[in-house]
Amino acid sequence: MTTQTSPTTDSTAPTDAESRARLLRMVVAAGGVATVISTLLAWTYTDEFPGDLTVYGYPGGLQILSLVAGLLVTVFALAGLGVKGLRWLVPAGSARALQMLALGAFGTTGYTIVAIAYKLGGLVNVEPGGFVALVVSAVPLAAFALPDDTRQVTRPKELPSWAEILIIVGVFALGLYVITYGIDTEYAELFTGYLIIVGFAMAGLNRSGLLARLSALTARYRQITVISAFAAAAAFPFTQNTDTYTLIAVNILIFATVALGLNIVVGLAGLLDLGYVAFLGVGAYTAALVSGSTASAFDIHFPFWAAVITGGVVSLVFGVIIGAPTLRLRGDYLAIVTLGFGEIFRIAMLNLDGDSGPDITNGPNGIPNIPDLEFFGFNFGEPHTVLGFELGSYANYYLLMLLVTVVVVMVFKRAEDSRMGRAWVAIREDETAATAMGINGFRVKLIAFALGAFLAGLAGTVQAHVQHTVVPEMYQFAGPVPPNSAFLLAAVILGGMGTVSGPLLGAALLYMIPAKLDFLADYQLLGFGIALILLMRFRPEGLIANRRAQLEYHEGDDDPSDQGGSGSGVGLSKAGA
């Protein structure tokens, strides 16, 4: 009698689900390659659309962005397939990262085709190559059929210290290139495409776990990170041939510095200030009056250091004067009072014109002809040659404002980590409980208010000399052009309250978008409001949030870092906070 034995199953053989996932990744990779190839075709027949998309053989304008998106999709799809040398790109899994990158490729290409049709008057202006690009860029969307392969980010294999330092330096060099490319975009369509691809690429990198590993690396080499960040920022003027885009960078730094000061008041102390731009105006007007302007009511000319200190101190005094009687209020009442102060300041500057009041600010005409700063014989208004590069006046002011930003960041970090900073956080979380524990809530809030006003005043002194004039219209509660109180508060909330890099990123975005998309001037505030609604719904902790905020806003989530955290790791829980 013979005994039948059932055939053994090879445990190493891929299952049907694994084979299907592998096939899908191959389809996504093929779609990425096809997207890259499609950028070598002509997408329109006329050069009236900016960027010249009429040439076969090499991409131009928005096609370059689609090419980059296709390359990212291809590389990450190959990493998901386990190709050696690329697996380090997806420490947290590739499926969710590929979904974001696929949306970036399709969104950038689709936006380009729509922009061509809108600008030139119909789809008839799109060449067959454009339609081919649109179809093949949709292929990577097959990533949405991939099973979720999210996993815990493990500690990577340690590299030599010099290699890890080179990685940090390389990341900041790449960041400088990406930011410079965005600032240097010459037309609105290219900048819009840039925002699409950068937004989805950052989301993809976050979901892949790369940002988590980079965050751990920068935390290990904090000094190298700070030096690299400063060096990358200082190198920006050397990448510019003219002062056109350097002026945008200067204003971004001014906006970001003021937003950091507001972050002390709102992010750390939890005080809703809707009139903060007035302190910027106090510093600017003070500097204008004491810096030797021909329109100044006072015939005095302070040196640079004295004008900066005067502007900061006067703003601090105003902060104390306004804060002392109002900081006993809470919530909406405090917001209404600070909003009133901001409007009172602007109206007062309008009325100090010699008719409605003393002739101090020249009313609506403001104070023009503010001379350039001069420090130890160095005139910031004159071009200077440094390392063989000629830096214009705005480049000089950019480097000065960069130093001011560094000082403000140091003050913020020291204040945050101090006993006073912990008291601010306690007041923000629960003022009643903090008071019961012995914290003088009024004194602590007044210090936060005064320090924030002082930092805004410092930025205002530099702004007055960069603009060479100050007028009351520059310091409104809301308007289409930042900085104003609404945009400052939005920069803090958008970037991430209580963090350093959050307000810097929020300020950069909220200044660059109005500056680059001036064709949407009539709809900017509408778009601004929609963006805030979406932010509050999908990412209430801000673009760059600390761990406390992530856990607070996503307490019930299994993976709070997947809500778009700044690389704090995958699978965080309150127990691990």
Side-chain angles (χ1 to χ4, degrees):
M1 179 173 137
T2 61
T3 304
Q4 285 188 334
T5 59
S6 59
T8 58
T9 303
D10 186 1
S11 60
T12 62
T15 64
D16 291 342
E18 290 173 343
S19 299
R20 179 174 176 272
R22 184 173 181 83
L23 178 60
L24 284 172
R25 285 188 170 87
M26 294 176 65
V27 170
V28 172
V33 173
T35 301
V36 172
I37 295 175
S38 71
T39 62
L40 304 179
L41 305 174
W43 289 8
T44 182
Y45 64 86
T46 173
D47 58 3
E48 292 181 10
F49 187 83
D52 194 6
L53 312 184
T54 64
V55 181
Y56 284 88
Y58 66 90
L62 281 161
Q63 288 176 323
I64 296 177
L65 300 180
S66 292
L67 184 147
V68 171
L71 285 176
L72 287 174
V73 169
T74 303
V75 170
F76 275 79
L78 293 177
L81 287 169
V83 175
K84 288 186 177 181
L86 296 178
R87 284 177 287 189
W88 60 272
L89 288 171
V90 287
S94 63
R96 293 189 175 186
L98 280 174
Q99 291 167 5
M100 292 295 100
L101 295 175
L103 283 175
F106 181 70
T108 305
T109 306
Y111 166 75
T112 304
I113 301 305
V114 171
I116 291 173
Y118 177 79
K119 189 174 183 66
L120 302 182
L123 290 173
V124 68
N125 296 284
V126 180
E127 283 280 298
F131 292 111
V132 170
L134 184 62
V135 171
V136 298
S137 67
V139 174
L141 294 177
F144 282 90
L146 286 171
D148 188 5
D149 61 349
T150 302
R151 55 183 178 267
Q152 181 77 27
V153 178
T154 58
R155 186 180 181 87
K157 179 181 177 181
E158 289 193 9
L159 299 174
S161 296
W162 61 267
E164 293 181 332
I165 291 173
L166 280 180
I167 290 174
I168 294 175
V169 173
V171 167
F172 277 102
L174 178 62
L176 172 63
Y177 176 79
V178 172
I179 293 173
T180 301
Y181 185 90
I183 294 178
D184 291 354
T185 49
E186 298 179 351
Y187 48 93
E189 291 84 0
L190 182 61
F191 181 72
T192 304
Y194 165 83
L195 289 180
I196 294 173
I197 182 60
V198 169
F200 282 110
M202 291 303 296
L205 293 177
N206 180 55
R207 293 192 172 193
S208 71
L210 269 183
L211 294 186
R213 283 195 171 174
L214 178 62
S215 178
L217 196 62
T218 55
R220 195 182 313 159
Y221 298 94
R222 193 171 297 277
Q223 278 191 328
I224 298 297
T225 300
V226 172
I227 294 172
S228 299
F230 179 79
F236 173 78
F238 297 94
T239 66
Q240 304 297 302
N241 296 323
T242 66
D243 269 351
T244 303
Y245 300 117
T246 309
L247 176 59
I248 295 177
V250 174
N251 287 321
I252 288 175
L253 283 181
I254 293 173
F255 190 14
T257 302
V258 182
L260 272 174
L262 179 61
N263 199 21
I264 293 178
V265 180
V266 176
L268 295 183
L271 305 174
L272 183 55
D273 188 347
L274 298 182
Y276 190 75
V277 74
F279 297 122
L280 176 70
V282 170
Y285 265 97
T286 302
L289 290 171
V290 302
S291 295
S293 169
T294 56
S296 173
F298 309 108
D299 189 18
I300 53 178
H301 189 175
F302 284 3
F304 164 68
W305 61 270
V308 170
I309 293 176
T310 303
V313 169
V314 172
S315 294
L316 184 147
V317 171
F318 269 85
V320 172
I321 292 175
I322 299 302
T326 61
L327 286 178
R328 299 186 188 278
L329 302 172
R330 296 188 188 182
D332 298 340
Y333 300 102
L334 177 61
I336 292 172
V337 170
T338 54
L339 174 60
F341 165 65
E343 289 302 296
I344 288 172
F345 168 78
R346 183 178 62 84
I347 294 172
M349 295 303 100
L350 281 171
N351 290 333
L352 295 178
D353 58 355
D355 293 329
S356 303
D359 188 8
I360 298 178
T361 64
N362 204 23
N365 296 322
I367 303 177
N369 304 323
I370 301 173
D372 287 301
L373 288 173
E374 190 168 341
F375 190 56
F376 289 113
F378 185 92
N379 191 314
F380 285 82
E382 297 176 356
H384 297 82
T385 301
V386 179
L387 301 177
F389 293 89
E390 184 174 301
L391 300 180
S393 60
Y394 291 131
N396 299 328
Y397 282 112
Y398 172 86
L399 295 175
L400 172 64
M401 200 60 222
L402 182 61
L403 292 176
V404 174
T405 304
V406 170
V407 171
V408 173
V409 169
M410 291 176 59
V411 170
F412 180 89
K413 288 300 296 180
R414 292 300 180 97
E416 180 186 22
D417 298 333
S418 67
R419 184 179 65 176
M420 184 60 65
R422 293 193 294 272
W424 287 335
V425 173
I427 290 291
R428 181 192 68 196
E429 296 299 323
D430 193 327
E431 184 172 351
T432 302
T435 304
M437 295 299 294
I439 296 176
N440 188 330
F442 173 74
R443 182 174 67 87
V444 166
K445 290 191 290 185
L446 186 60
I447 292 174
F449 213 71
L451 180 58
F454 177 77
L455 297 180
L458 289 182
T461 59
V462 179
Q463 184 200 37
H465 291 87
V466 171
Q467 303 288 350
H468 294 100
T469 184
V470 288
V471 292
E473 285 74 18
M474 296 168 62
Y475 309 104
Q476 304 178 42
F477 167 70
V481 179
N484 52 64
S485 291
F487 272 68
L488 285 169
L489 184 60
V492 174
I493 296 173
L494 172 68
M497 292 190 296
T499 64
V500 173
S501 52
L504 294 177
L505 175 62
L509 288 175
L510 290 181
Y511 191 91
M512 283 180 62
I513 291 175
K516 290 294 185 179
L517 304 182
D518 52 354
F519 71 97
L520 292 176
D522 296 335
Y523 305 99
Q524 280 179 8
L525 292 180
L526 173 63
F528 173 64
I530 294 174
L532 284 182
I533 292 173
L534 294 176
L535 180 74
M536 292 299 101
R537 171 59 185 86
F538 296 105
R539 196 171 173 77
E541 72 272 27
L543 294 177
I544 300 178
N546 55 29
R547 180 174 296 188
R548 177 195 297 269
Q550 280 188 319
L551 295 175
E552 179 181 350
Y553 286 108
H554 303 285
E555 185 175 356
D557 294 344
D558 294 331
D559 186 5
S561 68
D562 188 49
Q563 302 298 327
S566 57
S568 56
V570 176
L572 292 174
S573 65
K574 274 211 169 187

